[in-house]
Amino acid sequence: MPIKKMWGGRFEKGASELVDEFGASISFDQEMAKEDIMGSLAHVKMLKATKILPAADADQIIKGLEELAAELADHGLHFTVANEDIHMNIEALLTEKIGPVAGKLHTGRSRNDQVATDFHLYIKERLPKVVAAIKKLQQALVQLASENVETIMPGYTHMQHAQPISYGHYLMAYFQMFQRDVERFQFNQQHTDLSPLGAAALAGTTFPIDRQMTADLLGFKAPYANSLDAVSDRDFALEFLSNASILMVHLSRLCEEIIYWCSYEFGYIELADAYSTGSSIMPQKKNPDMAELIRGKSGRVFASLMGLLTTMKGLPLAYNKDMQEDKEGVFDTVKTILPSLTVMTGMIKTLKVNKAKMAQATHHDFSNATELADYLATKGIPFRRAHEIVGELVLKGLKTGQDLADIPLAEFKKIDPRVEDDVYEVLKPTVAVQRRNSAGGTGFAQVREQIKAAQQLLAKDNLQ
């Protein structure tokens, strides 16, 4: 026997089974069961306080909802497609438990403000978890950076050797990227921390409800100021997906370099066995599969953002059924970024740095060419002319196999008699890095300052 729809009074016939299944959202919005019960508890407590519902009825509903919450936490609840969504499933279960009085719960609200409230609560609860996971990754980066301030590696532009840098400096660049992610997710909370409850379908309600009370009970900063906006706004979800997409860009870039750095050609780092896999046919392989997976999972997060942007772009106010498509991408994104952050943190904590291989890569690669040009500029040669002179020396060295540091002093003096023996000290990769002490630079003193500032920032969250 088909279940009678709670909205079925206006209809002479029920929908087909196919339409029921197509229109139902319970397969995914059951993810918000806890939030739906929380919202209903706040709503009925407000109905009791404002005397919209008799105290006895409200208390019966509160008791039933609290029992459902306990059952959900203990062993879960059984939901059906016939009841369409999480809201109607919870109400149906409440009706089974306490009888027709459950029907009074929906007084002064709509599924439109109900689902928006659930969605706000869902993201609001998870934003701090995302921020905490990013900060744990930042902590791992800072620790590794502090151990490698004076570890020298090639710095790249266009994936060509550019200038030698500190590996610690390289790691702190990612710390800064992830700090911007932290700040974006923290700002996201500002637009998530609003309560749609009480906006009803779109126009508010004639019942004398107290929206501030329900906002307070649910831990929201304030109610939405406009009921149309309250039920139609999904900016907070778009911001979450946008922030998550940028986060995944950063994780993917780091993964790309991890994959390079642990290859045979580079050999700068080695991943722990726990974060690597082997080959079913090639016994020697140690594959950076976890880095590749994180890099690959960026695509599904980007797709969720593009999906919701496309869904929302042409919707008239207020609620439209299209907005049922707002949740799955967010749920999937939460389940993607949190484990990605955890796995990345583990990789960073356990990787081994081949300091000798990194340092070796900065020799005989002409990445000290800028140092020589700067040195000649200090002798009074215009930098553009110094740049040209060094470029010619590099070209000659590429043809003859002679490194800049191997050029005899007599040859340097032909360029300018003011060149002295100290030029060879300047050309050493370690010295080249150490001397770059402009603010934010790769000089060891500057890197230590970056690390100190990062440690102080993390200490505020008791992470150091």
Side-chain angles (χ1 to χ4, degrees):
M1 182 177 178
I3 295 176
K4 182 180 178 181
K5 302 292 185 185
M6 294 180 183
W7 43 260
R10 179 251 184 270
F11 290 79
E12 293 181 351
K13 295 182 179 180
S16 70
E17 185 178 343
L18 174 63
V19 168
D20 274 347
E21 291 180 359
F22 186 72
S25 60
I26 189 59
S27 63
F28 54 86
D29 68 11
Q30 62 184 282
E31 189 84 24
M32 302 188 301
K34 174 186 170 185
E35 287 78 12
D36 196 72
I37 295 172
M38 286 171 58
S40 290
L41 277 167
H43 183 65
V44 70
K45 288 174 181 178
M46 179 274 296
L47 294 177
K48 177 184 176 181
T50 54
K51 297 183 169 38
I52 295 171
L53 286 188
D57 290 347
D59 288 341
Q60 195 175 352
I61 294 170
I62 290 168
K63 184 174 183 295
L65 287 170
E66 288 175 343
E67 289 176 4
L68 287 176
E71 291 171 21
L72 177 68
D74 184 31
H75 53 73
L77 297 170
H78 177 67
F79 305 122
T80 68
V81 169
N83 282 321
E84 295 184 21
D85 57 33
I86 188 58
H87 325 299
M88 292 174 70
N89 268 275
I90 294 294
E91 187 170 335
L93 290 171
L94 183 64
T95 301
E96 288 178 15
K97 187 175 287 291
I98 66 172
V101 70
K104 295 186 177 183
L105 171 61
H106 211 52
T107 305
R109 75 174 183 185
S110 161
R111 281 188 296 173
N112 293 359
D113 61 334
Q114 193 177 355
V115 68
T117 301
D118 291 0
F119 204 20
H120 274 265
L121 287 170
Y122 176 89
I123 294 179
K124 176 178 163 64
E125 181 184 348
R126 283 153 183 84
L127 281 171
K129 295 178 181 178
V130 173
V131 169
I134 298 172
K135 286 183 173 293
K136 286 181 181 177
L137 174 55
Q138 288 181 296
Q139 183 183 28
L141 288 166
V142 169
Q143 180 59 39
L144 189 59
S146 68
E147 297 165 3
N148 288 277
V149 172
E150 297 188 17
T151 301
I152 307 302
M153 68 174 290
Y156 295 83
T157 61
H158 309 279
M159 275 310 294
Q160 303 292 314
H161 285 215
Q163 292 175 295
I165 61 171
S166 156
Y167 182 51
H169 186 60
Y170 161 86
L171 293 167
M172 291 307 296
Y174 279 101
F175 176 91
Q176 294 298 336
M177 290 187 208
F178 292 124
Q179 182 58 28
R180 292 192 293 275
D181 291 319
V182 165
E183 291 165 8
R184 273 185 284 268
F185 281 113
Q186 288 174 333
F187 183 78
N188 196 175
Q189 192 73 274
Q190 182 175 324
H191 295 150
T192 306
D193 208 10
L194 295 172
S195 174
L197 195 56
L202 76 163
T205 177
T206 58
F207 290 98
I209 61 172
D210 185 341
R211 292 190 62 212
Q212 186 62 55
M213 178 182 175
T214 53
D216 292 341
L217 287 170
L218 292 170
F220 287 116
K221 187 175 181 180
Y224 271 85
N226 181 285
S227 60
L228 276 172
D229 185 41
V231 297
S232 62
D233 172 36
R234 293 298 183 272
D235 289 358
F236 65 100
L238 287 167
E239 285 179 6
F240 178 79
L241 292 174
S242 176
N243 297 341
S245 294
I246 297 172
L247 169 64
M248 289 304 292
V249 167
H250 296 157
L251 288 172
S252 186
R253 292 180 72 181
L254 181 52
C255 285
E256 178 84 354
E257 291 180 322
I258 286 173
I259 293 162
Y260 281 147
W261 298 165
C262 70
S263 69
Y264 180 82
E265 286 74 15
F266 285 90
Y268 294 169
I269 63 172
E270 181 182 353
L271 293 178
D273 289 354
Y275 296 93
S276 308
T277 64
S279 166
S280 62
I281 187 173
M282 294 167 284
Q284 84 283 7
K285 295 295 291 299
K286 186 175 183 181
N287 298 327
D289 278 11
M290 297 307 103
E292 291 171 355
L293 271 173
I294 294 171
R295 183 178 62 179
K297 286 178 182 293
S298 61
R300 67 194 298 154
V301 176
F302 301 166
S304 294
L305 171 61
M306 293 309 299
L308 186 53
L309 283 168
T310 305
T311 295
M312 296 300 298
K313 74 176 183 64
L315 294 187
L317 295 178
Y319 182 82
N320 297 271
K321 189 69 167 178
D322 314 48
M323 292 164 75
Q324 185 168 291
E325 294 297 308
D326 61 357
K327 297 170 201 66
E328 284 183 278
V330 170
F331 297 161
D332 184 73
T333 293
V334 169
K335 292 173 184 177
T336 298
I337 62 176
L338 285 174
S340 293
L341 286 164
T342 301
V343 169
M344 178 60 82
T345 301
M347 277 196 290
I348 295 296
K349 280 184 173 181
T350 57
L351 66 80
K352 294 179 182 178
V353 181
N354 189 339
K355 298 184 180 185
K357 193 71 178 285
M358 284 186 176
Q360 181 186 5
T362 65
H363 292 273
H364 311 295
D365 65 343
F366 297 100
S367 63
N368 55 0
T370 303
E371 308 310 311
L372 181 55
D374 287 348
Y375 177 88
L376 294 176
T378 66
K379 300 301 181 182
I381 299 175
F383 181 79
R384 284 298 169 206
R385 176 57 187 150
H387 185 286
E388 182 180 9
I389 290 168
V390 176
E392 291 169 356
L393 291 174
V394 169
L395 179 60
K396 180 181 177 182
L398 289 170
K399 292 178 178 178
T400 64
Q402 184 182 54
D403 191 47
L404 294 177
D406 298 329
I407 297 173
L409 183 59
E411 292 296 319
F412 278 130
K413 284 191 173 291
K414 288 179 182 178
I415 297 169
D416 192 293
R418 291 169 290 184
V419 176
E420 302 294 342
D421 281 342
D422 61 350
V423 69
Y424 297 108
E425 184 70 14
V426 167
L427 291 174
K428 291 178 181 178
T430 300
V431 174
V433 175
Q434 191 172 13
R435 292 176 66 241
R436 293 193 172 274
N437 269 319
S438 56
T442 191
F444 301 150
Q446 285 297 317
V447 177
R448 289 191 177 96
E449 283 298 315
Q450 292 178 50
I451 290 170
K452 181 180 177 182
Q455 289 170 335
Q456 290 172 345
L457 189 62
L458 292 172
K460 293 178 183 178
D461 302 287
N462 298 317
L463 288 174
Q464 277 293 117

